[in-house]
Amino acid sequence: SALRKVARVRLTNGMEVTASKATRDYQTFSKRNRRSPEYGVQLPGWKGHQPSLCEIIDVSGSMDREWINQIVAETVNLMRSFAGIKVFLAVHTSELVYSGWLTESQQWKLNEAVSFSGGTDPEPAYVAAREASKKGRFDALIHFTDCEFFAAWPQVPAKQLIVGAFAREIHTKPPPGSQIIYCDMPERRTR
């Protein structure tokens, strides 16, 4: 469906940003070069970057279950495609309902995490993300939400914020420099 394609594009963007980090990012004298002699002049060694991604999903009552199911399906597919990326998942209503690191073999946690519903307050999810991030920042944070917080956007613990907005109008504006991507939303059917 069109929604599935949109969710995949949004997640792929965040995964590619995160995975684009080289495994040999910078040189440092805190790690000995493998070609340095044991004694004498020491050459700097290379330290690698372990990419990490934070995904926050709003499962409040205003988020359609079809949207959430598409986000979950694409997250699982992309975790298989981008093996080696650590994904921290935080799911929120008006409180934090799930937080934890995901691996490809733990897909069941993702389905269990999104089975809640309630109000909307992203602050507890962002607090959990700040506590989980090493050195205080993720490479990218993807937040799927309808942007109806009715409060200021929380402090973002990532180098880049990508907002997957399931809303025609954004009530709460993300911080400057954020990437806002409007996800296609089919009109809800009334019975």
Side-chain angles (χ1 to χ4, degrees):
S1 75
L3 180 63
R4 185 176 179 127
K5 184 178 179 183
V6 169
R8 181 171 183 79
V9 168
R10 303 316 172 240
L11 279 169
T12 302
N13 185 11
M15 294 274 197
E16 285 175 350
V17 165
T18 304
S20 66
K21 300 290 184 183
T23 56
R24 293 173 22 140
D25 291 327
Y26 56 93
Q27 289 184 314
T28 178
F29 283 100
S30 67
K31 182 176 180 186
R32 190 173 72 83
N33 188 303
R34 62 187 177 104
R35 293 194 173 104
S36 288
E38 192 170 332
Y39 299 101
V41 177
Q42 295 295 308
L43 301 172
W46 286 95
K47 276 205 168 177
H49 175 79
Q50 213 172 14
S52 63
L53 173 77
C54 180
E55 183 176 342
I56 296 178
I57 303 173
D58 177 359
V59 293
S60 63
S62 57
M63 288 287 286
D64 192 307
R65 295 295 114 181
E66 182 184 340
W67 304 339
I68 294 169
N69 290 337
Q70 294 298 328
I71 293 165
V72 168
E74 293 310 322
T75 300
V76 169
N77 289 339
L78 287 170
M79 284 181 70
R80 290 183 190 136
S81 301
F82 291 91
I85 292 181
K86 296 183 342 182
V87 176
F88 181 78
L89 175 68
V91 180
H92 71 88
T93 58
S94 56
E95 57 188 39
L96 180 68
V97 294
Y98 177 84
S99 68
W101 291 96
L102 291 179
T103 62
E104 182 185 335
S105 63
Q106 296 173 325
Q107 317 172 24
W108 59 271
K109 285 186 179 179
L110 191 55
N111 290 324
E112 184 180 293
V114 297
S115 63
F116 297 88
S117 186
T120 305
D121 182 13
E123 183 62 37
Y126 278 76
V127 169
R130 280 191 293 272
E131 291 172 0
S133 65
K134 290 184 179 177
K135 300 177 186 168
R137 300 195 76 156
F138 287 97
D139 294 305
L141 186 146
I142 303 172
H143 190 173
F144 288 101
T145 182
D146 56 5
C147 302
E148 294 182 9
F149 305 157
F150 304 108
W153 203 281
Q155 179 186 356
V156 179
K159 296 173 187 168
Q160 181 181 10
L161 172 65
I162 301 169
V163 178
F166 288 89
R168 303 232 185 267
E169 181 182 330
I170 295 182
H171 296 284
T172 306
K173 300 281 187 210
S178 302
Q179 183 179 2
I180 303 171
I181 301 169
Y182 294 92
C183 299
D184 291 339
M185 298 179 303
E187 292 296 323
R188 291 187 185 187
R189 296 181 184 153
T190 56
R191 294 183 185 190

